[in-house]
Amino acid sequence: MGGPAEQPDFRSVSHAEDWPLWEVFIRGRRGLSHQHVGSLHAPDPELALQNARDLYTRRGEGVSIWVVRSTEVHASDPDDQGPLFDPPSDKAYRHPTFYTVPEDLQL
Amino acid sequence: MPPTNSDESRNLAFQQAIDADRTVEPRDWMPERYRSTMIRQIAQHAHSEIIGMQPEGNWITRAPSLRRKAILLAKVQDEAGHGLYLYAAAETLGVGRGELTELLITGRQKYSSIFNYPTQTWADVGAIGWLVDGAAITNQLALTKTSYGPYARAMVRICREESFHQRQGFELLSELSRGTVAQHEMAQDAVNRWWWPALMMFGPPDTESPNTAQSMAWKIKRVSNDELRQRFVDMTVPQAQALALDLPDPQLRWNEARGHYDFGPIDWEEFRQVVGGHGACNAQRIAVRRAADEDGAWVREAARAWEVRQNSRTSAA
Ligand SMILES: [Fe+2]
Ligand SMILES: [Fe+2]
């Protein structure tokens, strides 16, 4: 970091490194699960929660917030979508519509 | 890198997915030009929200009532939020937040030229809400269906928040227009100054918009500049009548055959001048943004140092 006598070097002063990224999840109201709403930068969990409050709940959108470091989220590969999710498509018997039942019964 | 066969087949598959209205998500393969176009557009949009806080922020301390001050504060805070949603969307494409800020304050990325006009009177706050946010909403509603998922989702969120922005501007102008003669004149003067720049917000005519065809093919853009501009004019004329304010265009009239309002020619030379850096406030807007960034550097560094020290304590314990 430069002393006061040095020329201000914008790059090193300001954005040598961004604060880490966090994913934000909000519970809209009691009885619902938390849902992903977006992401933000913050230096630590406490400030991430406060920033999330300001950024994502300005109109009473939530009653509870989770923040998770983005680097802690592990995702499936979009190119694997076929092999990963296709197998159930030939298992129609997992759906109630597969079965024939008497029409006049509540079932 | 020279294009390879597999690049070609991936390009084809990408276009087919777009044609089938499949949303593009961050981890999907995409052509480099799609990625760079998307980064440029989202970043420019984000910068516009952030720079757009300045012309209105200029009036917060001078709002004529506590009610108006609270409304204006909430609106400007919303614009900050919009900027942050959009920066987050841009970051999913692999650029850094600080990188984008640097591109803005070193003039290598642009923001909407509308924010290079000065806010001279209190009525300008009303004219901005009504016309500038009105034009932005028209544009952003079309973008809720853009092909890049994170951008489209940011748009949905933003559109939900925008409608109060336009309404508070309309209400503000309505009160002035029905107030004293001087207040009415102030409202009319603001509308006279903001009308044409608002029409320019939709960008050059389709015939002179070189990137439109590719953006339409990729469904980044779903509606052309001229069509959006026409939508805005058609929507705004009856609102002006309700406000008892004139729109400063003698050629503005209903065209029965087209089912739209005709309007006069736009001064594209003025647009080029302002985009090219010669608007009234270009230098000021960037200087203010740069100062905010530099003045905030110690906060960012202190918070980071605190986090590092907390971490070393936990790992030492
Ligand atoms: Fe906005
Ligand atoms: Fe707005």
Side-chain angles (χ1 to χ4, degrees), chain B residues 75 79 82 133 162 165:
Chain B
K75 179 185 189 284
E79 306 300 4
H82 297 174
D133 286 81
E162 286 286 3
H165 297 183

Side-chain angles (χ1 to χ4, degrees), chain A residues 37-54:
Chain A
V37 293
S39 49
L40 52 76
H41 287 274
D44 59 41
E46 199 183 324
L47 281 171
L49 281 170
Q50 283 186 20
N51 289 354
R53 201 259 337 242
D54 289 345

Side-chain angles (χ1 to χ4, degrees), chain B residues 15-54:
Chain B
Q15 189 61 54
Q16 281 166 350
I18 297 266
D19 293 342
D21 270 334
R22 225 183 78 171
T23 308
V24 181
E25 292 296 342
R27 288 163 54 90
D28 292 341
W29 183 89
M30 62 189 88
E32 261 326 297
R33 264 195 64 211
Y34 179 90
R35 182 184 299 274
S36 60
T37 303
M38 212 65 253
I39 289 175
R40 193 174 359 98
Q41 180 166 339
I42 301 175
Q44 182 167 331
H45 199 156
H47 298 328
S48 301
E49 302 283 354
I50 297 297
I51 295 287
M53 296 163 74
Q54 291 184 39

Side-chain angles (χ1 to χ4, degrees), chain A residues 13-14 18 41 58-59, chain B residues 78 91 161 300-301 304:
Chain A
V13 170
S14 203
D18 285 331
H41 287 274
R58 288 196 299 282
R59 290 173 175 79
Chain B
D78 270 358
E91 283 176 284
E161 300 183 355
R300 295 194 291 275
E301 281 164 15
R304 193 159 250 296

